Amino acid sequence: MDRLPAQHGFDWIDDMCLSEGACVTFTEHDDVRHVAAAFGGRMDHAVLIEGVRPLDEALGVVEERFPGTWVGKGLPVALFARLSGWVITFEDNGGEGIRKEILERASGTSRAASVFWNVNRVTRGAFAEHGRILAEVSDGIPVVHGAGDGRIDAALEGLDGEDPLGFLFTLSARLTGQVFTPESLNGEFLAVPLVPWPQPDADGRLLRPEFDGALGDALRSAGEGSLRRAALAAARYAVSVAGISSHPVIIDTLAAWPERPALLERMARSVGSRRADDPNRIPQQARPARAEPTPADDPAGGSLRIALEAMRSLHRRQMGYPEGVSSSEPGHAMAVQALVQATETSAPAIAAYRAIAYADEARRELRHDVTELREAVMRAFAAS
């Protein structure tokens, strides 16, 4: 430890594509796919971005090849690249690499170090060796686990916590020998969707792999047929609880599955950007009754109400929504999106995850318990 890297500023991060928030992980291994699997990567959906590329170009390819990821509606996608006997992992606005569950797996036979920050400049760092976390840093405060051999205490000497990222990346360099520079942002990247490992306090409150270990195991290992059946089961549940399972378009879609009617495609596009958890939207069952216009308010005897309803009806038709299915009703939009995902023909693990996630949002909008959805999905995974 005689020649420790000096602490340097990382202001250049503000000018790069990861400025808003990211997780950068260094893992001592020469096999990118091995490291990606430790992150929970679904390797049969991995995309090799050929040729040495700048990171921002690689992120653009991810956005194109993995739709939905950037609006929080898909599995997280990480970029992996070789780096002189190590693998460097980039997660744009992600944080899997900083998790204990990931670092322990990634460092099983070697070392791994991770640096995380978000848009509010909350920072965290961790260092692991041989499957064990040896040090963690949260907002500049280091915690060393176990007596160790003095390496971490020595690596912390002289570091200034006033520059949190400088502190963390310098500590990482001292412990791994891998210095993070602007040149580190160039490489031949492998883009891999990640199925998150369950959190230690997972309680099944949502049907997501980080909260339900059995679901995560199925999403990581199931074959194409099982994945598609699980997606369909989630969609069937969603349209049922949303009360639109008897709609002709929905009936035709379920009968024709895995094909997707054009009308369903238009419906999906019209609601694709609406968030289910919009805090400003009042659920249907909580909405106060709307007073009908009185003659004083509407001298034309109801013409205003009729005109407004005609405008709403026209808008629904223009957006591809037939009568009886509305993008503004609780559960409708999410149920339609679940059905759309169930008819996707590529990347079945991603499609299954999204169908399940949308169905989960539909049942939350309608305040249904998660049990029935979980049972329907897991039965479909178990079917031969």
Side-chain angles (χ1 to χ4, degrees):
M1 302 289 289
D2 292 335
R3 299 179 60 186
L4 296 175
Q7 181 169 338
H8 293 287
F10 284 83
D11 292 342
W12 54 270
I13 290 178
D14 292 331
D15 298 322
M16 74 179 199
C17 46
L18 297 176
S19 61
E20 187 168 297
C23 188
V24 179
T25 306
F26 298 90
T27 305
E28 190 176 20
H29 209 285
D30 57 4
D31 187 347
V32 170
R33 291 180 174 270
H34 175 88
V35 176
F39 272 71
R42 183 80 199 208
M43 303 312 297
D44 54 346
H45 293 352
V47 172
L48 177 62
I49 304 173
E50 296 182 353
V52 176
R53 305 275 195 98
L55 180 62
D56 58 348
E57 286 188 17
L59 289 171
V61 174
V62 170
E63 188 171 3
E64 178 184 340
R65 296 292 296 272
F66 298 96
T69 300
W70 307 107
V71 291
K73 298 300 183 185
L75 290 172
V77 177
L79 289 164
F80 299 83
R82 290 182 178 86
L83 187 70
S84 304
W86 290 68
V87 173
I88 186 170
T89 306
F90 293 99
E91 300 175 71
D92 186 21
N93 277 318
E96 290 297 296
I98 198 65
R99 292 180 57 195
K100 178 177 182 285
E101 297 79 9
I102 303 296
L103 281 181
E104 288 179 341
R105 287 180 172 86
S107 67
T109 59
S110 55
R111 295 172 290 169
S114 189
V115 174
F116 164 86
W117 70 99
N118 66 15
V119 67
N120 299 316
R121 278 301 190 261
V122 172
T123 59
R124 293 177 61 198
F127 173 72
E129 187 174 65
H130 301 310
R132 181 166 155 260
I133 304 295
L134 299 184
E136 295 177 280
V137 181
S138 181
D139 290 329
I141 301 174
V143 176
V144 179
H145 299 287
D149 55 11
R151 283 179 300 156
I152 296 173
D153 290 334
L156 287 166
E157 289 182 5
L159 295 184
D160 181 358
E162 292 185 5
D163 175 11
L165 287 181
F167 178 99
L168 290 173
F169 278 117
T170 303
L171 177 62
S172 172
R174 291 180 174 185
L175 292 170
T176 66
Q178 302 302 308
V179 180
F180 190 50
T181 68
E183 288 69 35
S184 305
L185 305 180
N186 300 314
E188 185 174 56
F189 295 100
L190 183 70
V192 186
L194 310 178
V195 180
W197 297 101
Q199 296 178 358
D201 59 346
D203 60 6
R205 60 187 178 274
L206 297 173
L207 196 57
R208 303 286 197 277
E210 58 267 41
F211 299 120
D212 191 302
L215 175 63
D217 289 343
L219 287 172
R220 273 185 292 273
S221 61
E224 180 175 338
S226 293
L227 289 164
R228 295 198 184 285
R229 285 192 296 272
L232 180 62
R236 285 185 182 278
Y237 169 86
V239 297
S240 175
V241 297
I244 57 174
S245 57
S246 62
H247 192 282
V249 174
I250 306 299
I251 291 174
D252 289 347
T253 301
L254 292 172
W257 180 83
E259 295 180 4
R260 180 192 303 175
L263 181 57
L264 184 65
E265 179 71 43
R266 294 200 303 274
M267 290 163 60
R269 285 200 301 268
S270 73
V271 300
S273 61
R274 188 184 71 78
R275 290 187 58 85
D277 55 355
D278 182 354
N280 296 316
R281 189 178 57 76
I282 303 174
Q284 183 183 36
Q285 56 267 50
R287 290 174 185 160
R290 180 183 298 164
E292 294 293 330
T294 65
D297 297 326
D298 183 10
S303 60
L304 176 60
R305 178 180 56 81
I306 295 171
L308 287 174
E309 183 54 40
M311 290 174 61
R312 294 190 192 100
S313 179
L314 176 61
H315 175 72
R316 283 195 299 268
R317 290 196 302 272
Q318 289 174 335
M319 296 300 289
Y321 261 74
E323 293 298 325
V325 178
S326 167
S327 63
S328 63
E329 292 299 325
H332 282 201
M334 297 298 103
V336 168
Q337 288 289 4
L339 193 53
V340 167
Q341 293 307 311
T343 59
E344 284 288 352
T345 57
S346 61
I350 296 174
Y353 171 81
R354 296 186 73 190
I356 294 166
Y358 279 121
D360 202 29
E361 292 198 19
R363 67 95 192 159
R364 280 200 297 156
E365 285 192 339
L366 295 161
R367 301 178 185 178
H368 282 253
D369 185 80
V370 71
T371 303
E372 289 185 7
L373 173 59
R374 178 183 291 112
E375 290 177 350
V377 168
M378 299 312 295
R379 278 198 306 268
F381 273 124
S384 58

